[in-house]
Amino acid sequence: DGLSLGAMRRSPPVPPPAATPLSPSDFIDARTALLAVVCSLLVLHPPRISRSLVGSALGVGALWAWAASLGVEADAAAVAATLLGVRAAYRLYQIVLTMLATFPLQLTFPFVVDLIPRFSISKRSFFNADGASAEVARKREAALEALQERWRVKYKQCLVFGSDLKNLISDVRFTSGRCFPPFNNVVNEYLDPSMALARTEGPTVVDIDGNSSLDVSGSYGVNVCGYEAYKRFITAGWAAAKDKGLYLGSLDETTLANIKMIQQISGLPEVSFHMSGTE
């Protein structure tokens, strides 16, 4: 017994089990990783199904199938969740910044635009849309046809100009509806208020057909000084710039004169010029 006890005391200790290297699946299970992948794809491609979203989903599916064939699908899911999660976190940061700088109601437009009903009144219902009698409807139709014929004669060249312009510039087609939307189709069929400017005379504008009209809007408020004043500005500007041509970087006396004028008006000691990018 004493010998056995001594042998037991002299036996070497059992070494601890070797540590196994950590893998990505040790930090996140496969189900949570797949959920993170789906959420990341939705953040990166809101708010509708797009080609990039479908392509990303197919890529993740192909990666999952390849990883499953190797028996490492859990690790592949964890890696994909990490990579997409980093991109989604940065995209979410951008979205939050945009939301802070955006009018709240505008954020709902992409989601409700398809829910708003759209309709257009047909020509048959156009002239009696308010419940007018058949006789009144016929008079209205005759009056609109007469106005159409007068415009066809009076604005002959302007109508050709407007038709050509609408085929080339989508902005003109977008802004061509100048009445309540349900009535646009019929009104645009009869009337085209296109106007091609030939010259200005005081507060009036003259089109290429020679028709003169009073400009009551001041070119949507831009023409605050009047046409004749801007003609003088252009003449003075051309006189100052015709010997210099187009240049960038160099400065001339005009810049200094403008700075001193703005200082006098604003009462500030320094002036800084900036552009919005549209110039």
Side-chain angles (χ1 to χ4, degrees):
D1 293 338
L3 292 175
S4 299
L5 182 59
M8 292 178 61
R9 289 176 179 175
R10 289 192 300 269
S11 60
V14 180
T20 58
L22 296 176
S23 62
S25 57
D26 293 328
F27 298 93
I28 183 173
D29 60 274
R31 178 177 298 180
T32 304
L34 290 177
L35 181 61
V37 167
V38 173
C39 294
S40 298
L41 290 178
L42 292 177
V43 171
L44 292 172
H45 306 282
R48 59 180 65 88
I49 297 177
S50 61
R51 291 183 179 180
S52 56
L53 174 59
V54 174
S56 299
L58 292 176
V60 171
L63 177 63
W64 176 265
W66 174 76
S69 65
L70 300 178
V72 292
E73 60 270 21
D75 292 337
V79 172
T82 302
L83 296 178
L84 288 175
V86 171
R87 289 186 57 199
Y90 179 69
R91 177 57 182 162
L92 193 61
Y93 168 73
Q94 293 178 315
I95 292 175
V96 171
L97 289 182
T98 303
M99 292 175 64
L100 293 175
T102 305
F103 182 62
L105 184 60
Q106 186 177 353
L107 300 175
T108 64
F109 290 167
F111 303 98
V112 302
V113 64
D114 294 328
L115 302 178
I116 300 176
R118 301 184 182 91
F119 66 95
S120 178
I121 296 177
S122 64
K123 186 176 179 180
R124 185 179 62 179
S125 305
F126 179 83
F127 298 99
N128 61 351
D130 57 348
S133 64
E135 181 182 0
V136 172
R138 285 193 298 268
K139 290 182 178 180
R140 289 173 174 175
E141 184 174 5
L144 191 58
E145 290 175 350
L147 179 60
Q148 180 188 37
E149 183 60 28
R150 289 198 301 271
W151 278 26
R152 185 179 290 116
V153 175
K154 185 176 182 179
Y155 303 108
K156 184 177 181 180
Q157 297 183 65
C158 287
L159 291 175
V160 175
F161 167 82
S163 177
D164 293 341
L165 201 62
K166 288 179 181 178
N167 292 330
L168 299 175
I169 304 180
S170 59
D171 292 352
V172 177
R173 295 194 298 270
F174 177 76
T175 58
S176 61
R178 291 178 169 85
C179 64
F180 188 55
F183 297 97
N184 267 337
N185 288 343
V186 179
V187 172
N188 290 338
E189 179 183 345
Y190 280 93
L191 304 175
D192 182 2
S194 297
M195 188 269 191
L197 180 67
R199 65 184 185 278
T200 60
E201 298 174 352
T204 63
V205 292
V206 182
D207 62 33
I208 57 178
D209 288 297
N211 302 299
S212 180
S213 304
L214 179 64
D215 184 7
V216 297
S217 68
S219 296
Y220 298 98
V222 174
N223 192 7
V224 295
C225 296
Y227 290 111
E228 300 307 318
Y230 282 111
K231 291 177 184 179
R232 294 194 299 270
F233 298 161
I234 293 173
T235 301
W238 170 244
K242 64 180 181 179
D243 295 330
K244 301 182 180 72
L246 181 64
Y247 57 92
L248 181 65
S250 302
L251 300 177
D252 62 359
E253 294 179 349
T254 305
T255 305
L256 183 60
N258 288 334
I259 291 175
K260 291 182 177 179
M261 179 179 61
I262 296 175
Q263 280 182 322
Q264 184 178 3
I265 295 174
S266 65
L268 299 176
E270 189 173 344
V271 174
S272 179
F273 297 101
H274 299 274
M275 295 192 305
S276 67
T278 58
E279 292 82 359

